[in-house]
Amino acid sequence: MQEVETRYREIKSALPESVCLIAVSKTYPTEHVRPAYEAGCRDFGENRVQEMMLKAPEMPEDVRWHLIGPLQRNKVKYIASFVHLIHSVDSNELLAEISKQALKHGRVIPVLIQLHVAQEATKSGMSPSDFRQWLAEFQPAAFPGVKVVGLMTLASFTEDETLIRSEFSLMQSLLKEMQASSVFPEGQIEVLSMGMSGDYRLAIKYGATHVRVGSSIFGSRK
Ligand SMILES: *Cc1c(COP(=O)(O)O)cnc(C)c1O
């Protein structure tokens, strides 16, 4: 597992200080993941509720758990007590459930709105036009248990760098629209979660504050 530590350190040291490197530990058992913690990583990403629930008790308590995959409303209750940031919110129905479960634990859970800007139909998230509509109508007071802090996306899975750049650039301008809107208090919208193993360097050029890197740290998944 020496490689995991080394790879984490290499990637981390090449990033600007201000960028949060989330180690995406999905599919890897805890013993494979722990060397990243030993190397200083505290932010870990999982795309399934079940896996996060099983792994969290096996890892040190100061790990910040990021849910980065699709979230069903009926599963929010399992992670509401400890999740650090939910990246994959795409409806007010889901926001309402997160708010309700957060309040049961006396918490306010930070969340990101996931946008769909990629070519592939399989990826989830709001379209840019749905997002603008949502932003125009959003009433934060209706969701006291959540704090919307920014946006998340997955770019197209392609070799076409021009396309990826255009998607990241669109995200950067949508974040600016969100920051400029009067819906949120000044300074609240500060997270742009985009970039994976293949494209995180590019994402940073377009303002990513959080990158989600799995295989470049842990090796390719089966
Ligand atoms: C798996 C996953 C990642 C990390 O992907 P890698 O290519 O292994 O770096 C990032 N974001 C999401 C939403 C994922 O599901």
Side-chain angles (χ1 to χ4, degrees), residues 22 24 26 28 46-47 67-70 87 114 152-154 157 193 195-200 211-217 219-221:
I22 299 169
V24 177
K26 66 183 185 199
Y28 290 103
E46 287 289 335
N47 69 335
L67 187 80
I68 62 173
H87 293 233
Q114 181 173 354
M152 178 271 216
T153 205
L154 286 99
F157 187 69
S193 167
M196 310 178 21
S197 290
D199 56 16
Y200 71 90
V211 294
R212 310 178 306 265
V213 179
S215 49
S216 288
I217 297 173
S220 58
R221 289 176 292 271

Side-chain angles (χ1 to χ4, degrees), residues 71 76 86 89 94-102 109 111 145-146:
L71 176 58
V76 175
I86 300 176
V89 175
L94 183 54
L95 276 177
E97 179 63 15
I98 296 170
S99 178
K100 181 176 138 193
Q101 298 299 333
I109 298 180
V111 304
V146 298

